């Protein structure tokens, strides 16, 4: 039986393939992770260099708001 990848592994792979990084909504869709900040903390402890910044996104109602976006530095 094949081992299911962890949330950290899925999030890391997402960041490796998406140069703009990952937001909480994307993490939930990709890895069913409700706590992206904790997964980023875990990845940083593993030695990955991850930077974060706020980006403006638009919700389904057309309203703009800021969310944290995490990006892997190669």
């Amino acid at each position: 039986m094949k081992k299911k990848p962890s949330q950290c592994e899925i999030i890391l792979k997402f960041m490796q393939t998406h140069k703009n990084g990952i937001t909480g909504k994307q993490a939930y869709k990709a890895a069913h992770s409700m706590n992206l900040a904790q997964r980023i903390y875990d990845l940083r402890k593993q030695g990955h260099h991850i930077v974060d910044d706020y980006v403006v996104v638009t919700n389904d109602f057309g309203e703009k708001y800021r969310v944290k976006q995490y990006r892997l530095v190669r």
Side-chain angles (χ1 to χ4, degrees), residues 36-73:
L36 178 58
Q38 181 62 50
R39 300 293 74 83
I40 295 298
Y41 174 81
D42 295 341
L43 289 168
R44 285 175 172 159
K45 277 183 64 174
Q46 293 174 14
H48 298 284
H49 186 192
I50 299 170
V51 296
D52 57 81
D53 199 7
Y54 284 99
V55 294
V56 176
V57 296
T58 305
N59 66 14
D60 296 337
F61 303 104
E63 302 165 334
K64 295 184 184 222
Y65 62 101
R66 292 180 344 141
V67 296
K68 187 80 78 129
Q69 184 174 50
Y70 298 93
R71 187 172 46 86
L72 184 64
V73 178

Side-chain angles (χ1 to χ4, degrees), residues 12-23:
L12 180 60
K13 185 168 185 149
F14 187 98
M15 288 191 298
Q16 289 170 336
T17 58
H18 295 80
K19 69 176 184 169
N20 290 336
I22 191 168
T23 64

